[in-house]
Amino acid sequence: MPGKKCYNGQGVLPTNDIVSITEKLDGRMALMGGWDSAVDREDATEEEIRKEVRRVCDECGHLKMFIPAVTYGSTAGTLYPHVGEIMKDEIDRYNAEHPRQ
């Protein structure tokens, strides 16, 4: 489509200033990522995974055009299935506690 551009690459890293980047983009592009991929491992505890999800949701959940996810894909794209399942569950819990207006 003329005038439309699509970028599919690395998600935003937790070390990026996600709030500032989102504000500068002003709705022109959605950002996805923000989770520290260090929690996507076989021995990650449920508490550790949920804590990382809460961190991202607390810091960036208010942003428009932001999708919390691991930096290399969605929650379905985690390397270890238990990590993705816990991440999705914690997002659901967070959304139930913080409904959008």
Side-chain angles (χ1 to χ4, degrees):
M1 293 171 42
K4 302 289 180 187
K5 294 182 181 177
C6 181
Y7 173 75
N8 184 12
Q10 172 73 39
V12 290
L13 301 170
T15 54
N16 297 135
D17 186 348
I18 298 170
V19 173
S20 177
I21 294 168
T22 302
E23 289 170 354
K24 287 177 184 173
L25 288 169
D26 194 30
R28 294 186 307 265
M29 182 172 79
L31 297 178
M32 184 169 147
W35 286 339
D36 187 343
S37 60
V39 299
D40 190 10
R41 58 182 207 281
E42 188 174 18
D43 66 341
T45 66
E46 182 172 342
E47 178 184 357
E48 180 179 21
I49 297 164
R50 290 186 186 280
K51 182 178 177 181
E52 179 60 12
V53 171
R54 287 283 167 160
R55 182 196 63 76
V56 175
C57 290
D58 285 341
E59 290 178 11
C60 303
H62 67 284
L63 299 172
K64 295 180 181 178
M65 304 292 289
F66 178 76
I67 305 162
V70 291
T71 58
Y72 43 83
S74 67
T75 54
T78 57
L79 298 175
Y80 297 93
H82 78 285
V83 175
E85 291 168 12
I86 294 168
M87 286 180 160
K88 286 185 271 188
D89 182 65
E90 192 61 27
I91 288 174
D92 289 344
R93 289 180 184 193
Y94 188 91
N95 286 334
E97 295 169 13
H98 302 89
R100 291 215 174 212
Q101 300 299 330

